[in-house]
Amino acid sequence: MKSFTAMKFAAIAAAGALALTACGGSGEQGAAGGGDEPVKIGISQFVSHPSLDAVVTGFKAGMEEAGYTSEKISYDENNAETDQATNTSIAGKLAADSDIDLVLAVATPSAQAAAQAITNVPVLFSAVTDPVDAKLVASNEAPGANVTGTSDMNPVDEQLQLLKDLVPDAKKVGIVYSSGEANSAVQVKMAKEAAKGLGLTIEEAAVSASSEVQQAASSLDVDAYYVPTDNAVVSALEGLLQVAEKNKVPVISADGESVKRGATATYGINYEKLGEQTAAMAVKLLKGEAEPATMPVETISEVDLYLNEDAAKKAGIEFTDEMKSEAVEVY
């Protein structure tokens, strides 16, 4: 495993959240479920793709591990499939359901819609890159309202360094991103900053829908592609991968699931573990051991190396034995 740069990616210690238990014992929010009564959790997911699906899988596994078996918990699962009107409608439906004890919002657009519509129960987000920039929390240390959760802020600088290690002569890196996702704009900005010290330049192509991803990728004349945790792009990743394969250039993704699907490599987050971590926060809220307003946003402090040998061969790259031994997955 490889640790994040401390200043940017330090995990919020679990002990910090436990120290806040005195804040939540008597409040209305988070008191539901008290350990014995069945609870109902609403889930709002922005789109189906392996990373976000893994968050939900990990969340449910974490809840079950904590004792919330099928007899003690039910889920109202909803998926907007990138449609903003549907996304808003889902948030409104969950807000109107008086039986719901907590809402899990997966990805930034779903979290933003839920935060605007739902004020009477805790909203836990996951797979949100920058909660402060997305205006979900006042600060990561003290969210300030009924919204908190886990961030999937990825180590862009380390990922671009990995690209440079694999392709030392690379000069231009293409990024296709969604103009409607705040988390993507943050990552493009981070990539530009990281690229300065690596002798790289970033070429951008913005899309408004996943159907535009392949064409946008084709419009870039680059030595490699970087795929951020952009929901529209990741959901249409195969189109970008086809362009990269045709041009014989590598693709560095922000998450491990995309490497499994055909990206070349990454130092990435395990999204199932992120979901499990979010479940641990949910348990504290449901038991009244913490309040969202004072429960810090959490991140994962370590990332894993994922490699795809087939993708590397298509791009004319060979992984060293050292890299293979470090990787948690070699596809």
Side-chain angles (χ1 to χ4, degrees), residues 129-172:
T129 302
D130 190 336
V132 176
D133 184 79
K135 296 180 171 53
L136 293 170
V137 297
S139 73
N140 288 331
E141 295 75 19
N146 67 311
V147 181
T148 187
T150 56
S151 167
D152 64 348
M153 177 66 80
N154 53 299
V156 177
D157 49 354
E158 293 185 34
Q159 290 164 343
L160 289 183
Q161 179 63 63
L162 175 62
L163 167 61
K164 195 67 175 178
D165 292 342
L166 292 172
V167 191
D169 295 334
K171 298 296 182 184
K172 295 188 293 183

Side-chain angles (χ1 to χ4, degrees), residues 6-279:
M7 291 180 64
K8 290 184 179 179
F9 304 106
I12 303 298
L18 288 170
L20 299 169
T21 55
C23 300
S26 59
E28 291 182 8
Q29 291 181 3
D36 295 320
E37 296 180 10
V39 299
K40 182 178 181 181
I41 293 181
I43 298 178
S44 177
Q45 182 174 334
F46 187 58
V47 64
S48 295
H49 64 64
S51 296
L52 299 189
D53 294 345
V55 169
V56 176
T57 297
F59 182 84
K60 289 181 175 179
M63 295 303 293
E64 185 171 5
E65 180 70 21
Y68 288 85
T69 56
S70 58
E71 298 82 13
K72 296 184 179 180
I73 195 167
S74 62
Y75 297 98
D76 179 0
E77 298 188 60
N78 306 268
N79 196 312
E81 297 297 358
T82 73
D83 186 85
Q84 289 291 357
T86 303
N87 188 39
T88 301
S89 177
I90 289 169
K93 185 192 81 164
L94 295 177
D97 189 341
S98 60
D99 293 329
I100 283 180
D101 299 301
L102 180 145
V103 170
L104 172 67
V106 186
T108 301
S110 289
Q112 290 172 320
Q116 290 174 6
I118 301 165
T119 58
N120 60 323
V121 297
V123 174
L124 264 183
F125 57 75
S126 191
V128 170
T129 302
D130 190 336
V132 176
D133 184 79
K135 296 180 171 53
L136 293 170
V137 297
S139 73
N140 288 331
E141 295 75 19
N146 67 311
V147 181
T148 187
T150 56
S151 167
D152 64 348
M153 177 66 80
N154 53 299
V156 177
D157 49 354
E158 293 185 34
Q159 290 164 343
L160 289 183
Q161 179 63 63
L162 175 62
L163 167 61
K164 195 67 175 178
D165 292 342
L166 292 172
V167 191
D169 295 334
K171 298 296 182 184
K172 295 188 293 183
V173 180
I175 301 181
V176 179
Y177 72 99
S178 172
S179 58
E181 293 191 37
N183 57 302
S184 301
V186 168
Q187 291 172 85
V188 172
K189 183 178 179 181
M190 291 173 65
K192 287 181 176 179
E193 189 63 32
K196 292 178 183 177
L198 296 172
L200 298 170
T201 58
I202 302 298
E203 302 288 336
E204 308 168 41
V207 300
S208 58
S210 56
S211 59
E212 301 170 6
V213 169
Q214 186 167 7
Q215 183 178 353
S218 297
S219 72
L220 299 174
D221 182 13
V222 294
D223 303 311
Y225 290 96
Y226 174 72
V227 180
T229 54
D230 183 296
N231 296 292
V233 177
V234 174
S235 65
L237 180 63
E238 282 69 25
L240 185 147
L241 292 176
Q242 288 176 20
V243 175
E245 182 178 345
K246 178 181 177 182
N247 295 329
K248 295 181 170 54
V249 298
V251 177
I252 302 298
S253 62
D255 66 284
E257 287 292 336
S258 291
V259 176
K260 185 177 181 179
R261 293 166 65 189
T264 310
T266 194
Y267 281 114
I269 290 170
N270 183 313
Y271 277 83
E272 191 163 336
K273 289 182 181 177
L274 190 68
E276 292 173 358
Q277 187 169 339
T278 312

Side-chain angles (χ1 to χ4, degrees), residues 311-326:
K313 289 176 182 177
K314 292 174 182 177
I317 294 170
E318 187 173 345
F319 299 128
T320 65
D321 291 338
E322 183 180 357
M323 292 184 71
K324 292 178 186 178
S325 65
E326 180 188 348

Side-chain angles (χ1 to χ4, degrees), residues 279-298:
M281 296 177 73
V283 171
K284 294 172 187 175
L285 294 172
L286 290 168
K287 291 185 175 180
E289 296 175 351
E291 291 287 341
T294 51
M295 189 180 213
V297 173
E298 296 187 12

